[in-house]
Amino acid sequence: MKQKIDDLAVFGGPVTFGQPLCVGRPSTGDRSRFFERLNQALDDRWLTNGALVREFEERVAELAQVRNCVATCNATVALQLLYMATELSGEVIMPSMTYVATVHAARMLGLTPVFCDIDPATGCLDPREAEAAVTSRTSGVVGVHLWGRPSAIDELEKTGARHGLRVVFDAAHALGCAYRGRRIGGFGAAEVFSFHATKVVNSFEGGAIVTDDDGLAQHLRSLRTFGSGPGARIERVGTNAKMNEAAAAMGLTSLEAFDETVRHNRANHALYRSELSGLEGVSVVPFDEDESPNYQYVVVTIDEAGTGVHRDLLMQVLEAENVVAQRYFSPACHQLEPYRSERPVELPRTERLAEQVLVLPTGPAVSGEDVRRICEIVRCALTSGRQVTDRLRHRGDLVSSFAGPPWPAPGRPVRPGV
Ligand code: T4K
């Protein structure tokens, strides 16, 4: 039981967890089913371009309620294929509050990411900012369903229609989620899921592009497989972005556990909310049941003005207890190189969230008892927040590894490239 700050491991108290308790422990499903599938692939000597990937694509398309699913080796490459297939060029509007993959995928193709601020209510791209950022060089908008909460899809699609832009969605976090009664997957030209180990469904590494546009799906399949068309004839430039059979075996097995994983995540999320309620300066980002959340991310904001402790110091306190939290996503993308040097921009709402955001462990590997103990650490640290801060700030050795994000250089224009 942690009651006073000397009970905290960071100040010499006992360490709460014997093993690191991480954000992003994979949901692996029934191990025997996984090995059955893998053995079948080995028996068949069919390791790629095979039946398991096709079955995985069918299951994902069913879940997302779309006509087509194109599975890939990861979501970053899937985004690149989608940006290529939709012929994005010049400037592409996107949020900075996302994983850098959304942005790098565009930059790697020579596109110019134009960052817009977020709607603080959702953390997603503010559609009014997106509309205002359109120039004659803009070709598309990328919405990101941050932590599984849908972007302002209708408004972004309206902006797209008004200006003749392609609209696509990075749905890496949003498998199984919904927007206004429809599953994520069928919006924009196409949407991209990630099946990285840390996602609600994993295929070790993996991704998929889903769309109701049959022609686009065919184009994406071609790009994914060396630019090939019917009869494996090469028709265009393409790459090798295929998912392999072992990945699909894990994807199918993890997908079978999806409902159970979401049930578990939902219970953990509710517990976090009740255990952390009433703590000044701490908010657990809520989900809306109407949006069918997968609850894969337990996101809290730590406002130092209320807690007396900066988010980075709280992370340090947790890490000493073997709780490995994450700053998804801090620094925000516009605060990272090369973007901060190339097109400096000020995004106050994004920057505020990036300074406060903290993601806590959940998933099937994290029990309700684990959640209670994590919350006990947080409560103990924040009850004497100022004291914790004073003591840690006097210990340069610990503080140095949490120096905080590299904030953008001064002298930035308020809006980029306009
Ligand atoms: N768009 C968005 C909005 C995204 O968030 C992402 C990826 C993408 C696109 C691109 O998707 P992919 O190309 O990856 O399919 C991670 C992941 O690598 C990345 O997939 C993810 N989003 C991003 C939010 O986080 P790291 O550097 O935090 O991951 P990593 O491997 O250090 O793992 C984080 C924690 O998870 C570790 O502390 C321990 C735990 N973990 C991790 C792995 C891999 C496990 O317990 N077991 C594992 O097997 O970037």
Side-chain angles (χ1 to χ4, degrees):
M1 189 78 180
K2 308 253 173 203
Q3 286 174 325
K4 49 188 193 319
I5 66 171
D6 284 323
D7 294 335
L8 294 169
V10 77
F11 298 126
V15 176
T16 304
F17 295 100
Q19 296 291 322
L21 199 67
C22 299
V23 169
R25 274 284 137 90
S27 164
T28 48
D30 180 343
R31 192 176 294 205
S32 59
R33 280 297 288 137
F34 168 66
F35 282 118
E36 266 172 43
R37 289 182 164 115
L38 202 54
N39 278 327
Q40 188 66 55
L42 294 173
D43 289 347
D44 294 348
R45 293 183 187 271
W46 208 284
L47 307 185
T48 187
N49 298 328
L52 289 171
V53 169
R54 285 195 294 277
E55 188 185 345
F56 183 63
E57 290 181 333
E58 279 167 26
R59 295 288 92 79
V60 171
E62 268 166 29
L63 180 58
Q65 298 171 353
V66 288
R67 291 165 57 83
N68 303 284
C69 171
V70 182
T72 58
C73 50
N74 62 55
T76 308
V77 166
L79 284 165
Q80 283 185 322
L81 299 189
L82 180 58
Y83 296 164
M84 284 175 73
T86 50
E87 296 180 345
L88 296 185
S89 62
E91 295 177 0
V92 181
I93 292 167
M94 57 185 70
S96 167
M97 178 49 66
T98 179
Y99 191 53
V100 74
T102 319
V103 184
H104 278 350
R107 183 62 168 66
M108 292 270 290
L109 297 176
L111 303 172
T112 304
V114 172
F115 297 116
C116 287
D117 217 342
I118 51 169
D119 174 351
T122 61
C124 296
L125 187 58
D126 182 335
R128 286 159 308 180
E129 298 278 332
E131 173 73 34
V134 175
T135 71
S136 58
R137 296 179 295 281
T138 310
S139 65
V141 179
V142 183
V144 178
H145 307 311
L146 187 71
W147 313 313
R149 299 205 303 187
S151 302
I153 293 174
D154 284 350
E155 290 87 338
L156 294 177
E157 288 190 333
K158 275 183 199 145
T159 289
R162 203 173 290 125
H163 300 282
L165 310 175
R166 302 307 300 264
V167 178
V168 299
F169 292 99
D170 179 338
H173 303 171
L175 187 75
C177 303
Y179 176 74
R180 299 190 175 162
R182 249 178 83 195
R183 276 282 158 82
I184 293 295
F187 295 102
E191 307 203 54
V192 169
F193 294 126
S194 169
F195 301 108
H196 180 258
T198 53
K199 299 298 186 285
V200 66
V201 168
N202 90 91
S203 60
F204 299 124
E205 291 268 4
I209 312 155
V210 290
T211 179
D212 282 321
D213 181 335
D214 297 346
L216 179 61
Q218 203 180 350
H219 188 170
L220 288 162
R221 284 186 199 287
S222 169
L223 288 176
R224 174 188 65 175
T225 316
F226 311 107
S228 61
R233 205 181 56 242
I234 299 303
E235 296 182 326
R236 53 171 62 84
V237 171
T239 186
N240 180 356
K242 289 172 289 171
M243 177 178 276
N244 67 60
E245 292 288 280
M250 173 52 80
L252 283 163
T253 311
S254 180
L255 198 54
E256 280 166 357
F258 175 76
D259 289 341
E260 183 49 38
T261 303
V262 173
R263 259 196 299 280
H264 189 92
N265 283 350
R266 181 187 290 112
N268 276 355
H269 195 268
L271 198 52
Y272 270 116
R273 286 196 79 179
S274 70
E275 293 283 316
L276 296 177
S277 68
L279 272 180
E280 198 188 337
V282 179
S283 304
V284 180
V285 171
F287 288 99
D288 181 345
E289 269 295 311
D290 288 345
E291 294 171 350
S292 174
N294 59 39
Y295 294 99
Q296 180 67 3
Y297 296 95
V298 173
V299 185
V300 300
T301 54
I302 306 295
D303 181 355
E304 189 177 0
T307 59
V309 180
H310 188 272
R311 179 271 320 272
D312 292 349
L313 291 186
L314 182 60
M315 271 184 84
Q316 211 172 310
V317 168
L318 288 166
E319 196 158 308
E321 306 284 352
N322 250 335
V323 178
V324 185
Q326 295 280 348
R327 285 175 284 203
Y328 292 151
F329 294 102
S330 174
C333 295
H334 74 289
Q335 297 170 315
L336 300 171
E337 293 297 352
Y339 311 106
R340 68 194 287 253
S341 297
E342 285 179 354
R343 285 172 72 88
V345 56
E346 217 166 66
L347 303 172
R349 286 171 264 151
T350 299
E351 285 161 26
R352 183 174 161 77
L353 180 57
E355 172 117 24
Q356 296 185 347
V357 71
L358 187 67
V359 175
L360 296 172
T362 190
V366 178
S367 69
E369 185 50 28
D370 294 335
V371 172
R372 281 196 193 87
R373 293 169 80 194
I374 293 169
C375 293
E376 185 181 295
I377 299 163
V378 174
R379 277 199 310 271
C380 178
L382 299 190
T383 307
S384 313
R386 300 258 166 248
Q387 251 179 298
V388 168
T389 297
D390 288 347
R391 282 178 65 172
L392 285 175
R393 287 243 157 94
H394 282 97
R395 288 168 42 170
D397 57 323
L398 277 169
V399 173
S400 62
S401 64
F402 283 86
W407 302 114
R412 306 159 289 188
V414 171
R415 187 178 297 292
V418 182

